[in-house]
Amino acid sequence: MLEFWKEPWFVGAVVVAIGLPVLLVVLTEILGVLVRRGNPAAQPVRLLRNLVLPVGALLALLSFADHVTVEFTWVRVVATVFGFLLILLVLSAFNVVLFGNAKAGTWRDRLPSIFIDLARLLLIVVGLAMLFSWVWGADVGGLFAAIGVTSVVIGFALQSAVGSVVSGLLLLFEQPFRLGDWLDAGSVRGRVVEVNWRAVHIETDEGVQIVPNASLAGSSFTNLSRTPGPYYATATVAFAQDDAPHAVMAVLRQVAGDLPFADPAAAPAISYAGGGSYSVGIPVLGPAASDDALAVFASWLWYAARRAGLTLNGSKTDPANTPEAVRASLVRVASTLRIPVDEIEDLVPRCSIERFAAGEVVQREGEIAKAIRLVIEGRIGLSVIVSGGAVPLASLERGEYVGQTALTRERTLSRASAETPLTVLRLPVDVIDALVQQHPSLAKEIGQTIDRRRAAAKAALAENAVAAGVYKIAQ
């Protein structure tokens, strides 16, 4: 009777028969823990459990059997499969170790996946060549020589295209910009919308411009989205040399600071270049807001310069502010302000018509008003400014007014902004003083308006659960 336990293959077969199930159970538990934790090591463990161990066990059994029989070709086939799986396992393990937990900003995080794929492909080819040489005794030296010669020939033939691809890969690795960043490359300025191996697609005002990677990598460019401080949209404006620089710079600073695109954490940069020329730097939230900010700034400055009596680009007159227009507006509001008809003509040179662009601030919170402004055309929005933003109070239509605290010399409680293009009649404080002295009922009416708006401000703050102390209302 054959005593099989004495055969050379018996011990190995027993080890495989017992060890394989045990290892599979252990790896299954480990895999479950890794999957629940979202650990990237789950992938190589899964490969080891599902493929490497079973094929390795099959190879071991065939090898034991081959020890007592003639050379069996299937052993080589299984050995080849097992070697290939080992190569994949090693590559997967290295990928997890090097890139599985890469921290943001490190070279491992910035390395493009194409580099990893190319390196993986190269290692697989080399590994397979060594595997075939070891298992099948194949001569791979000639294969490597042929591949090398072919690579040189293809490299010379596609030198331009390959250079662009390499430049693209280097840009992807270095990452001097990302999707959404704004670039200024001299001949093109815009937002990056696509980056591939060959070119960068930049969205400009004229459309999407495609810049080859080789061209971009071989020249200097500026990433406008990665400035060390706030991004400034710059403009140059011209005033008359007779206009006092301090008055001009005050208007420029006020208009630039009120823009909805302005960065509240930074102040506008204003400088006088001489000869009536001024440079304005508007801090905006990013290059994307630059063009819109400059467009609104130019519009608002036109109105602000004329309200201040400054000569912008050779002109200082406002066609709406004429004696005839002031007279017609005074006639319209005469009953509201108790103005005697025979005194309207005397008030014409002392009052004026002002215009505001939509969004401009008509009256700032915390200021002592120097005039009352009555709405002639358009609409004014009142709001209380708190740390979290603006709390709306009311909208003022034609015939209503702001700046009533000019009568009491109190600081204003709310901000008044033009909700639409706005035309107002401005009555200085001395005119209001004279009117209330003649008509005490007007003073009473203005006082009641002040009380109503103060109460509305308090109610709005309470309604929006603003903490006491965020905004202190004048008592």
Side-chain angles (χ1 to χ4, degrees):
M1 180 178 180
L2 181 62
E3 297 179 349
F4 60 87
W5 58 86
K6 294 182 180 181
E7 295 296 325
W9 52 265
F10 178 75
V11 176
V14 171
V15 171
V16 171
I18 298 176
L20 179 61
V22 173
L23 286 176
L24 291 178
V25 171
V26 173
L27 289 177
T28 300
E29 295 299 324
I30 295 175
L31 179 61
V33 173
L34 294 177
V35 169
R36 287 193 295 271
R37 294 182 178 179
N39 196 306
Q43 181 176 354
V45 172
R46 182 181 287 107
L47 178 62
L48 177 62
R49 185 198 66 173
N50 294 345
L51 294 175
V52 175
L53 278 182
V55 175
L58 177 60
L59 176 62
L61 293 175
L62 291 175
S63 299
F64 298 151
D66 187 52
H67 183 74
V68 294
T69 60
V70 295
E71 185 176 353
F72 189 36
T73 304
W74 278 106
V75 177
R76 293 182 177 182
V77 174
V78 176
T80 304
V81 175
F82 179 69
F84 180 71
L85 292 175
L86 279 180
I87 293 173
L88 294 182
L89 178 63
V90 171
L91 292 177
S92 180
F94 271 111
N95 185 63
V96 170
V97 172
L98 291 178
F99 307 105
N101 297 306
K103 295 182 179 179
T106 62
W107 69 270
R108 295 187 298 169
D109 176 62
R110 297 198 314 269
L111 188 66
S113 60
I114 182 60
F115 282 171
I116 302 173
D117 294 338
L118 290 176
R120 184 182 291 116
L121 178 61
L122 178 62
L123 292 176
I124 289 176
V125 172
V126 173
L128 286 177
M130 296 176 61
L131 181 62
F132 275 89
S133 176
W134 172 56
V135 176
W136 298 92
D139 182 13
V140 296
L143 175 63
F144 281 121
I147 292 176
V149 173
T150 304
S151 299
V152 172
V153 173
I154 293 176
F156 278 111
L158 302 177
Q159 184 175 3
S160 177
V162 172
S164 183
V165 171
V166 172
S167 299
L169 293 176
L170 293 176
L171 285 175
L172 289 173
F173 175 69
E174 186 181 356
Q175 288 192 344
F177 54 82
R178 297 181 180 179
L179 291 179
D181 285 357
W182 282 70
L183 299 184
D184 186 354
S187 60
V188 57
R189 179 180 182 276
R191 183 171 61 91
V192 177
V193 294
E194 183 180 345
V195 181
N196 55 43
W197 298 1
R198 191 187 68 83
V200 176
H201 296 205
I202 300 178
E203 185 179 44
T204 66
D205 293 337
E206 290 77 26
V208 177
Q209 185 164 343
I210 300 175
V211 182
N213 290 327
S215 173
L216 197 60
S219 62
S220 62
F221 57 87
T222 302
N223 189 336
L224 302 176
S225 299
R226 297 189 184 182
T227 55
Y231 179 80
Y232 283 86
T234 58
T236 301
V237 292
F239 286 82
Q241 296 189 43
D242 293 338
D243 292 334
H246 76 278
V248 175
M249 294 175 72
V251 170
L252 292 175
R253 188 173 292 108
Q254 187 176 85
V255 173
D258 287 340
L259 292 175
F261 308 98
D263 185 350
I270 313 296
S271 61
Y272 180 42
S277 178
Y278 296 81
S279 176
V280 183
I282 306 170
V284 294
L285 299 177
S290 176
D291 293 341
D292 291 336
L294 292 175
V296 175
F297 173 77
S299 172
W300 286 16
L301 185 60
W302 187 93
Y303 292 97
R306 280 155 177 77
R307 292 196 302 270
L310 301 174
T311 304
L312 174 64
N313 296 327
S315 176
K316 65 182 297 184
T317 58
D318 185 351
N321 185 27
T322 62
E324 293 77 12
V326 173
R327 185 180 299 107
S329 298
L330 286 170
V331 171
R332 186 182 303 174
V333 301
S335 59
T336 301
L337 297 179
R338 318 291 198 275
I339 301 176
V341 177
D342 55 350
E343 296 182 9
I344 290 179
E345 200 61 36
D346 296 334
L347 296 179
V348 170
R350 301 168 64 185
C351 302
S352 61
I353 297 292
E354 292 181 337
R355 292 193 292 173
F356 294 82
E360 270 197 280
V361 177
V362 179
Q363 170 187 282
R364 285 171 177 77
E365 65 283 0
E367 292 182 344
I368 298 178
K370 298 178 180 179
I372 280 184
R373 291 179 171 87
L374 284 93
V375 179
I376 303 301
E377 296 290 342
R379 188 170 64 251
I380 293 178
L382 295 180
S383 60
V384 174
I385 306 302
V386 296
S387 59
V391 179
L393 295 179
S395 291
L396 306 182
E397 305 285 348
R398 178 186 297 184
E400 298 183 280
Y401 51 85
V402 294
Q404 65 280 358
T405 54
L407 179 63
T408 60
R409 308 310 193 262
E410 293 179 295
R411 294 189 180 276
T412 54
L413 311 179
S414 58
R415 173 179 294 186
S417 303
E419 294 183 342
T420 64
L422 179 68
T423 302
V424 298
L425 173 64
R426 183 182 186 275
L427 294 96
V429 65
D430 58 332
V431 172
I432 298 301
D433 286 341
L435 291 175
V436 297
Q437 287 178 4
Q438 296 177 13
H439 304 282
S441 60
L442 179 60
K444 180 179 179 181
E445 180 180 318
I446 292 176
Q448 291 173 345
T449 302
I450 294 175
D451 292 338
R452 285 197 306 271
R453 292 182 182 172
R454 178 182 288 115
K458 291 181 178 180
L461 290 173
E463 206 174 284
N464 286 269
V466 178
V470 171
Y471 184 85
K472 184 177 180 182
I473 297 179
Q475 299 295 329

